[in-house]
Amino acid sequence: MTVFQDFSIDPAILRAISDMGFEEPSPIQKEAIPKILEGLDVIGQAQTGTGKTAAFGIPIVEKVSPELGAVQALVLTPTRELAIQVSGEIRKIAKYKRVRTLPIYGGQSIGHQIRALKMGVHVVIGTPGRLIDHIERGTLTLDRVRILVLDEADEMLDMGFIDDIERILRVLPGERQTLLFSATMPEEIRRLANRYMKRPVMIKVTREEVTAPSIEQVYYKVLEKNKLDALCRILDAEETELGIIFCRTKRGVDELSEQLQARGYLVDALHGDLSQAQRDKVMGDFRSGRIEYLIATDVAARGLDVTNVTHVINYDIPQDPESYVHRIGRTGRAGKHGIAITLVTPREMKQLRVIEQLTRTRIQPRELPTVEEANERRLAQFVAEVKAMVEQGDWHPLVEEAAESLISSVDPRTLVRALVHYALKDELTLEPDSGYDFGETGAAAGMVRFFLNVGKNINITPKKLADELSQIAGVSVGEIGRIDIFDRFTFVEVSESAAPFVYEALKQGKLLGTRVFVEPAKPRSRR
Ligand code: AMP
């Protein structure tokens, strides 16, 4: 087993990684980090969700010298979102080292970026176009760069950045280490690697097929910001005996268990930082049913032996198919019914597909219970409880007095309404805000209409488009409405509930292999 301490890296980095809540290196990190530290060129085949960012981020922070006030590592990313995300992750890894990072992308004031660069930066993470802008203005000096990373290289090529990338490669010192990460390895990537990398080591962690147990497997698509709400609705709808909820990091475990406890769920946290006594107590509570859900990291759950686990919930998607199989194997033991539930954000949909492929299983999509369903369930339960209480008829002696006073002064209908409201006001949910308001798009009622900047020119047909959207966004074909395809653009309507997923998936993904631009349609463009 590899732990982070096995890598020859600065204790300051180990401390930062521990603060981030990582317990052990992910498969891609186990393979890639030692090679990168050795100074080799590395090609890593990995998508979002595998821990690829830290796989190159940790060695970068290790190798950069803070005393030298020059850009020493450069990371190219296809999108501004990714640049910001990668920069954020490297910054966290560098928390206890004086390594400065800066994301540079189009759309942000160039003046601001120039000032930030002048302050002295060690690691620059940027999109190709804006980087070239700075190179041409002479505001970004790259002659001390020792490490170059091409992140999501296939995406960059799809977006037509190949010329820009080659221009940047030509101004970099030849004496450097080049790392390339990509979810897929098409021919152009190999060509790029042959031209610009020195005897690269190929790392691919998810090549082997693994067998998933034959239990019910489902996924819910969720938006990052609504994950907690979505989980609560799932928990409310499930009949659970005992369940395990998996998070990626121990920090995630702590946060989630606090949030769920605050909402009144019977849960407790299990992770590697607990003492044996604490661990025994949590496990005792779990076995005896005093807690309903154990919240755990992969590491903490290793070696757990509990029967009767009816639910395994992947709050964070596992980092590789093996870990998926491991996690879900904790339910459905001894012929009992078990279910594995995975929450998937639009960015992680690719990772879900890889898991499906390598486990040769189809993980069925499910729709979150609607607010109406959740509320109805709670109301029905409340009415039943009150009726049972009326039958029993024994209440606290002091209740009588308050009841008499209310009955004599308030009309009975109004009184009952007020009491029901008082009892349930904090529990009945309102629609959680998806964070998206697409405004008036000229769509049919209950639908949102999107504009896409591709049409017949990439050979889409309504059927292909509907299939592809349902695949990449995880929505059912039934949620896709009217489709109008023109030569160079397309309008497509999707249900309001599916719209945020389709929008995020298209912003971050591709359609039939082509990068597209998507925006809510303008109402007047309806034909
Ligand atoms: P990435 O694949 O780089 O987009 O990472 C996906 C998520 O996994 C990010 O939130 C990372 O912070 C997290 N992560 C990366 N490495 C680890 C690790 N070894 N243990 C737990 N979480 C990790």
Side-chain angles (χ1 to χ4, degrees):
M1 188 182 120
T2 314
V3 290
F4 282 109
Q5 282 77 4
D6 293 342
F7 301 136
S8 38
I9 48 177
D10 191 330
I13 299 178
L14 290 175
R15 203 162 126 219
I17 292 172
S18 160
D19 285 0
M20 290 164 86
F22 297 4
E23 287 183 310
E24 66 171 18
S26 71
I28 186 91
Q29 291 164 1
K30 282 182 195 169
E31 301 251 349
I33 292 176
K35 299 272 183 332
I36 303 176
L37 287 172
E38 253 182 71
L40 300 172
D41 280 7
V42 169
I43 301 180
Q45 181 161 3
Q47 56 285 330
T48 297
T50 54
K52 67 177 167 68
T53 314
F56 62 79
I58 291 169
I60 284 181
V61 175
E62 172 68 26
K63 286 176 173 235
V64 161
S65 320
E67 319 73 63
L68 179 63
V71 178
Q72 296 159 59
L74 178 68
V75 182
L76 303 190
T77 68
T79 62
R80 104 189 220 155
E81 285 82 10
L82 189 62
I84 294 170
Q85 207 177 308
V86 169
S87 165
E89 183 109 339
I90 296 183
R91 199 165 286 203
K92 283 190 213 149
I93 298 168
K95 182 170 165 194
Y96 300 112
K97 281 195 81 181
R98 292 192 349 274
V99 171
R100 283 190 298 271
T101 62
L102 182 71
I104 281 189
Y105 45 84
Q108 193 191 35
S109 131
I110 196 148
H112 163 81
Q113 291 172 351
I114 292 172
R115 278 192 297 280
L117 281 169
K118 279 204 182 125
M119 311 268 293
V121 172
H122 303 107
V123 185
V124 166
I125 302 98
T127 50
R130 180 56 69 98
L131 285 173
I132 287 189
D133 239 12
H134 280 282
I135 294 171
E136 285 177 347
R137 287 166 186 250
T139 46
L140 176 63
T141 315
L142 298 173
D143 55 5
R144 305 301 291 268
V145 168
R146 289 191 293 144
I147 306 178
L148 169 74
V149 182
L150 302 173
D151 193 15
E152 303 202 349
D154 50 355
E155 296 283 328
M156 289 200 281
L157 295 192
D158 284 340
M159 291 172 74
F161 282 141
I162 184 69
D163 295 343
D164 289 352
I165 294 174
E166 295 201 306
R167 271 179 75 184
I168 296 170
L169 279 162
R170 282 196 294 269
V171 302
L172 291 177
E175 208 33 46
R176 60 147 203 274
Q177 193 177 2
T178 307
L179 313 173
L180 183 152
F181 286 82
S182 189
T184 57
M185 288 292 157
E187 195 43 44
E188 303 106 281
I189 301 255
R190 287 174 210 282
R191 221 173 302 137
L192 195 70
N194 282 340
R195 275 195 74 178
Y196 297 99
M197 298 177 78
K198 289 186 227 81
R199 286 190 302 284
V201 187
M202 224 1 226
I203 292 175
K204 184 176 172 185
V205 283
T206 50
R207 75 209 123 194
E208 271 158 41
E209 282 182 11
V210 278
T211 316
S214 56
I215 54 163
E216 190 179 358
Q217 297 169 52
V218 302
Y219 76 90
Y220 289 92
K221 54 184 169 41
V222 295
L223 297 175
E224 189 62 51
K225 47 184 167 288
N226 296 338
K227 258 178 136 177
L228 180 63
D229 263 324
L231 176 66
C232 291
R233 275 206 238 161
I234 295 168
L235 297 185
D236 292 344
E238 293 291 328
E239 291 287 335
T240 310
E241 205 169 308
L242 292 179
I244 305 178
I245 304 177
F246 282 96
C247 294
R248 201 145 34 214
T249 63
K250 50 192 176 190
R251 244 176 98 169
V253 164
D254 279 338
E255 277 168 19
L256 184 64
S257 54
E258 273 167 29
Q259 285 162 330
L260 289 178
Q261 281 168 353
R263 291 176 180 222
Y265 293 92
L266 299 173
V267 302
D268 214 339
L270 193 70
H271 59 60
D273 281 356
L274 299 185
S275 68
Q276 190 57 41
Q278 289 169 317
R279 195 180 155 96
D280 290 346
K281 166 150 193 332
V282 174
M283 286 313 298
D285 285 349
F286 186 53
R287 286 209 178 82
S288 66
R290 272 194 296 276
I291 56 177
E292 214 175 340
Y293 282 98
L294 204 58
I295 306 184
T297 54
D298 292 277
V299 174
R302 215 163 272 160
L304 264 192
D305 185 25
V306 189
T307 41
N308 297 340
V309 171
T310 52
H311 287 65
V312 165
I313 302 184
N314 295 314
Y315 186 67
D316 292 321
I317 195 165
Q319 287 170 327
D320 64 322
E322 281 100 63
S323 143
Y324 177 81
V325 168
H326 233 91
R327 287 182 180 185
I328 72 169
R330 312 203 159 267
T331 182
R333 294 226 178 128
K336 295 208 173 189
H337 179 75
I339 179 168
I341 297 173
T342 303
L343 271 57
V344 188
T345 65
R347 287 184 61 80
E348 294 162 345
M349 205 52 87
K350 258 192 204 160
Q351 172 77 343
L352 181 81
R353 301 295 174 215
V354 170
I355 292 174
E356 280 190 315
Q357 216 181 345
L358 291 174
T359 55
R360 290 178 177 263
T361 14
R362 174 108 171 82
I363 305 175
Q364 299 292 336
R366 268 218 198 153
E367 291 300 318
L368 280 180
T370 63
V371 175
E372 290 77 34
E373 283 162 355
N375 287 344
E376 260 168 38
R377 190 173 309 110
R378 182 64 192 111
L379 283 174
Q381 193 188 356
F382 177 77
V383 168
E385 279 167 6
V386 170
K387 283 186 177 159
M389 207 175 272
V390 169
E391 294 227 323
Q392 275 183 357
D394 59 343
W395 25 77
H396 195 284
L398 293 182
V399 162
E400 211 66 48
E401 210 176 300
E404 283 309 320
S405 145
L406 286 170
I407 291 169
S408 63
S409 53
V410 189
D411 149 65
R413 278 177 171 272
T414 315
L415 177 58
V416 172
R417 280 200 190 106
L419 290 176
V420 173
H421 172 75
Y422 185 68
L424 294 179
K425 65 179 184 319
D426 295 332
E427 288 187 53
L428 296 177
T429 4
L430 291 168
E431 187 74 63
D433 181 12
S434 76
Y436 277 107
D437 177 8
F438 294 107
E440 178 49 53
T441 59
M447 307 290 278
V448 173
R449 199 165 62 115
F450 290 113
F451 166 86
L452 309 180
N453 69 335
V454 290
K456 291 181 190 146
N457 56 340
I458 64 158
N459 296 323
I460 41 179
T461 61
K463 170 154 189 347
K464 269 200 232 167
L465 181 60
D467 286 348
E468 182 94 349
L469 286 181
S470 96
Q471 179 74 12
I472 63 172
V475 303
S476 78
V477 175
E479 291 185 275
I480 299 167
R482 179 176 168 150
I483 294 177
D484 292 308
I485 300 177
F486 299 88
D487 286 345
R488 304 193 155 270
F489 56 92
T490 297
F491 289 107
V492 54
E493 292 189 6
V494 298
S495 74
E496 277 170 358
S497 61
F501 298 98
V502 169
Y503 183 64
E504 289 204 2
L506 281 174
K507 269 206 323 193
Q508 288 154 7
K510 282 172 287 178
L511 204 56
L512 302 173
T514 307
R515 195 87 202 183
V516 298
F517 171 79
V518 54
E519 66 174 3
K522 300 192 175 64
R524 66 187 127 78
S525 50
R526 185 167 183 101
R527 292 165 194 233

